[in-house]
Amino acid sequence: MLLGAPGAGKGTQAKRIKEKYAIPQFSTGDILREEVENQTQLGLKAQGYMSRGQLVPDSLIIAMMRDRIDRDENRCGFVLDGFPRSVAQADALEKLLDELSWPLQAVVEITIDNESIVKRITNRRICSKCGADYNLIDKPPLPGDLCSVCNGSVVLRPDDNEQTIRTRLDVYDTQTKPLRDYYEARSLLRRVDGNQPVDEVFDSVIGILEGAAAGK
Ligand code: AMP
C-alpha cells in the first residue's frame, strides 16, 4: 500500500510496481475518473466531491474497492494507491483482507513538503484517454499535447488547480494522516523521501517491499 499526500508520487510508483511484479494496481483516483468519464451512477455521485477536492463518501469507496479486491486473480498480490484514505476505509480493508487471509505486507509512505506538492501538481498533466502521467518540467507530452503512449490528448486534471490542491492537502492532513499512526501501530509503516528523483524513490520502495516479503 502506498500512502502519501496528493502529488507525492504514489501513482508513478504504483505503476512501476505493477510492471515490475506483474501484479494488479488499484488507484482509486484513476478508477473514479473512469467512472466519471463513463457517467456511471458512481461517477455521477463522485464527481462533485472530486472537483471540490473532498473525499468521496467512505461507503461508496469501500463498496467499490471490495468489489475489485475480492477476486481470485488478486491472490498473488496487488498494489493499492490512494486507498485507504480514512480510518473507516482502513478498517474496512483490514476486515476484508482478514476474511480473505491475505495479510497486508507493507505500507510505504512517500513524504514530501507542501510547497513542492503544489509546484508538482500545477505542472502535472494526464492523458485523458489512457491516464499516462506527464509533467511540464521533465516529462512533457508530445507537441500538440499528445500522449506518447496512445496519442490521446494530454490535459490538466480539473482538480489540479491551486485552490483545490490546498483543499486536498487539508483533507489529507485531517482525514488521511491518522493512517500513519494506524499502520505504525501494526508495525507496517515505512517511509521514503519523495523529494528524491523518481528512480531513487523506486529503489527505496522496492527495497522495502522485498524486505517485507522476506519477513524483515
Ligand atoms: P487522486 O487521483 O488519488 O488524487 O484522487 C482524486 C480524487 O478522487 C480525490 O481528491 C478524491 O476526491 C477522490 N478519491 C480518490 N481516492 C479516494 C478514497 N480512497 N476515498 C475518497 N475519495 C477518494
Side-chain angles (χ1 to χ4, degrees), residues 6 28-30 32-33 49-50 53-56 61 82-85 89 124 157 159 168:
T28 38
D30 289 346
L32 289 168
R33 277 184 287 280
Y49 297 98
M50 293 173 75
Q54 297 166 341
L55 292 188
V56 175
I61 297 289
F83 175 81
R85 252 166 152 116
Q89 292 180 20
R124 175 160 82 174
R157 267 171 53 176
D159 58 344
R168 285 156 68 200

Side-chain angles (χ1 to χ4, degrees), residues 145-216:
D145 292 331
L146 293 178
C147 175
S148 54
V149 180
C150 75
N151 221 36
S153 70
V154 173
V155 298
L156 177 70
R157 267 171 53 176
D159 58 344
D160 275 355
N161 61 77
E162 185 156 353
Q163 195 191 345
T164 311
I165 295 165
R166 302 265 173 211
T167 307
R168 285 156 68 200
L169 290 175
D170 286 345
V171 166
Y172 183 74
D173 279 345
T174 53
Q175 303 193 54
T176 310
K177 258 194 192 160
L179 296 183
R180 279 184 182 165
D181 290 344
Y182 188 97
Y183 290 115
E184 203 139 45
R186 288 155 176 77
S187 302
L188 286 169
L189 186 73
R190 302 285 180 275
R191 287 207 167 93
V192 168
D193 177 5
N195 289 300
Q196 304 175 92
V198 177
D199 289 344
E200 285 170 37
V201 176
F202 187 58
D203 288 345
S204 306
V205 171
I206 294 305
I208 291 169
L209 297 184
E210 308 227 321
K216 282 184 212 153

Side-chain angles (χ1 to χ4, degrees), residues 18-59:
K18 168 191 173 159
E19 278 158 25
K20 181 172 171 73
Y21 296 109
I23 54 172
Q25 165 213 354
F26 300 107
S27 296
T28 38
D30 289 346
I31 298 170
L32 289 168
R33 277 184 287 280
E34 207 178 301
E35 300 277 345
V36 170
E37 172 87 22
N38 295 332
Q39 294 284 289
T40 63
Q41 277 203 358
L42 172 60
L44 293 172
K45 286 183 191 154
Q47 198 161 18
Y49 297 98
M50 293 173 75
S51 60
R52 290 190 297 274
Q54 297 166 341
L55 292 188
V56 175
D58 285 333
S59 55

Side-chain angles (χ1 to χ4, degrees), residues 97-113:
L97 295 181
D98 274 353
E99 280 166 24
L100 293 165
S101 300
W102 295 348
L104 187 59
Q105 278 189 308
V107 177
V108 183
E109 182 188 5
I110 307 179
T111 60
I112 178 169
D113 62 282

Side-chain angles (χ1 to χ4, degrees), residues 79-101:
V79 54
L80 292 172
D81 148 30
F83 175 81
R85 252 166 152 116
S86 67
V87 171
Q89 292 180 20
D91 281 340
L93 175 67
E94 188 166 73
K95 189 162 165 271
L96 174 63
L97 295 181
D98 274 353
E99 280 166 24
L100 293 165
S101 300

